[in-house]
Amino acid sequence: MSNHLAFVFPGQGSQQVGMLTDIYEQETIVRSTFSEASDALGVDLTKLILEGPAEQLNSTENTQPALLTCSVALWRLWQQRGGAIPAYMAGHSLGEYSALTCAESLSLGEAVKIVHLRGQLMQQAVPVGEGAMAAILGLTDEQVREACQQAANDGVVSAVNYNSPGQVVIAGSTSAVNRAINLCKEAGAKRALPLPVSVPSHCDLMKPAAQQLAETLNKIPFEAPQIPVVQNVTADIAGTPEQVRSNLLEQLYSPVLWVDSVQYLNNKGITHLVECGPGKVLSGLAKRIDRSLSASSLESLDAFNKSIDATA
């Protein structure tokens, strides 16, 4: 195990049709992982990931199992190649399920079914068009929270993703989010941009989804993670499988404390993050959170090989 290494797992937004194609074509363990997840879910995730169509892949209930499957496939390949075992894991939103699966708290088969259901319940909780999210750049966390508080008399809106200093995502009912966007601009935000999503994640509108998801999660046997997982809602490690489950449910309607989570890792002596999934979103955020951190991704075969070498 490397005491200075942590694996981080991306959430929604990192998907694209054809992700991991080069690795899939060359690595048997990746192909077998895609097949295992497809069989468990009863959906051809392999075709969806490699061929799309984009509209189907971007549908929340499909995006979530597809990204989780990609992350688990990369982790298994990393282990097969003899890559250094990280001291910690963490995942952004959906990525927390990927982290827990790779840490052996959940099986892959259980995990893809849970996140598929999670996506369905999230979409059902708020009809399309009635919820929104927006990225706010250039304000302090407190300024964003204050704008949301002022806008909340027009509906639900709150800060939901603390991604890096000066980058906060808000979510809620469409009218309240639009009002908060205008208030953030008035407060001097560099940018305040609506995001192309159909579900307002991590706000109070997701409480009905959490209540319904609890019925399934409470029947799933969670194991203690074999590698400590820093969870979104606490920016800390859960001590028991029961806490893991409870935090996952709370995560649906609570902010993702990503800045605090990365700082927790840094305080534990982590100096390098490996982003285990498609894209480089979390790698990019790492430098903005703490310049002392180095980060690499596994999004292509070339990037994978470089990360293996960098952490050997």
Side-chain angles (χ1 to χ4, degrees):
M1 185 182 77
S2 172
N3 292 326
H4 303 294
L5 176 66
F7 264 49
V8 293
F9 298 82
Q12 284 185 242
S14 290
Q15 76 277 3
Q16 60 177 330
V17 174
M19 53 189 175
L20 306 193
T21 295
D22 62 336
I23 300 178
Y24 175 88
E25 289 173 346
Q26 295 199 40
E27 300 294 342
T28 302
I29 197 166
V30 173
R31 294 194 294 274
S32 66
T33 301
F34 279 27
S35 295
E36 181 185 338
S38 295
D39 291 345
L41 192 58
V43 172
D44 190 349
L45 288 172
T46 302
K47 186 175 188 298
L48 192 62
I49 290 166
L50 300 180
E51 301 175 23
E55 312 84 68
Q56 195 174 343
L57 177 63
N58 291 335
S59 182
T60 303
E61 72 271 18
N62 294 326
T63 306
Q64 297 197 26
L67 281 173
L68 184 144
T69 299
C70 287
S71 288
V72 172
L74 290 171
W75 169 244
R76 289 177 174 180
L77 178 61
W78 181 271
Q79 291 178 296
Q80 186 184 70
R81 291 274 198 90
I85 301 302
Y88 296 92
M89 290 179 167
H92 191 289
S93 189
L94 160 76
E96 188 165 281
Y97 287 84
S98 305
L100 289 165
T101 304
C102 292
E104 298 179 34
S105 182
L106 280 169
S107 70
L108 175 59
E110 293 284 13
V112 291
K113 287 185 278 192
I114 289 170
V115 300
H116 182 256
L117 175 63
R118 178 179 183 264
Q120 290 178 322
L121 295 174
M122 289 169 72
Q123 188 62 77
Q124 290 167 11
V126 182
V128 174
E130 293 186 15
M133 300 182 76
I136 311 298
L137 307 182
L139 295 183
T140 65
D141 295 351
E142 188 54 44
Q143 284 176 302
V144 175
R145 285 193 291 265
E146 188 175 325
C148 289
Q149 190 172 4
Q150 289 181 44
N153 56 13
D154 189 28
V156 171
V157 61
S158 58
V160 297
N161 291 348
Y162 295 95
N163 286 336
S164 69
Q167 185 187 134
V168 179
V169 173
I170 64 174
S173 48
T174 302
S175 58
V177 169
N178 289 336
R179 170 83 175 134
I181 287 173
N182 291 331
L183 289 168
C184 287
K185 288 178 179 176
E186 291 172 12
K190 291 178 183 176
R191 301 178 82 183
L193 303 171
L195 297 176
V197 297
S198 59
V199 174
S201 303
H202 305 294
C203 72
D204 281 350
L205 296 177
M206 289 294 107
K207 283 188 174 179
Q211 291 168 354
Q212 290 176 280
L213 186 63
E215 296 175 15
T216 296
L217 277 192
N218 288 336
K219 299 173 185 174
I220 302 296
F222 281 77
E223 302 295 334
Q226 295 301 298
I227 296 171
V229 175
V230 181
Q231 293 196 273
N232 289 178
V233 299
T234 59
D236 202 349
I237 293 161
T240 66
E242 290 71 31
Q243 286 177 310
V244 169
R245 183 188 287 110
S246 175
N247 287 342
L248 284 175
L249 289 170
E250 191 176 339
Q251 185 222 67
L252 265 178
Y253 57 86
S254 302
V256 173
L257 304 180
W258 191 249
V259 172
D260 290 347
S261 296
V262 172
Q263 288 174 338
Y264 176 96
L265 294 172
N266 190 238
N267 291 337
K268 291 293 185 180
I270 297 302
T271 58
H272 189 90
L273 302 181
V274 170
E275 184 165 1
C276 189
K280 297 185 285 188
V281 172
L282 301 182
S283 304
L285 292 178
K287 279 290 185 186
R288 295 180 210 164
I289 295 170
D290 194 314
R291 292 184 181 277
S292 70
L293 285 168
S294 61
S296 57
S297 72
L298 306 180
E299 65 169 354
S300 67
L301 204 51
D302 183 53
F304 191 103
N305 292 332
K306 286 178 179 176
S307 286
I308 283 270
D309 293 340
T311 55

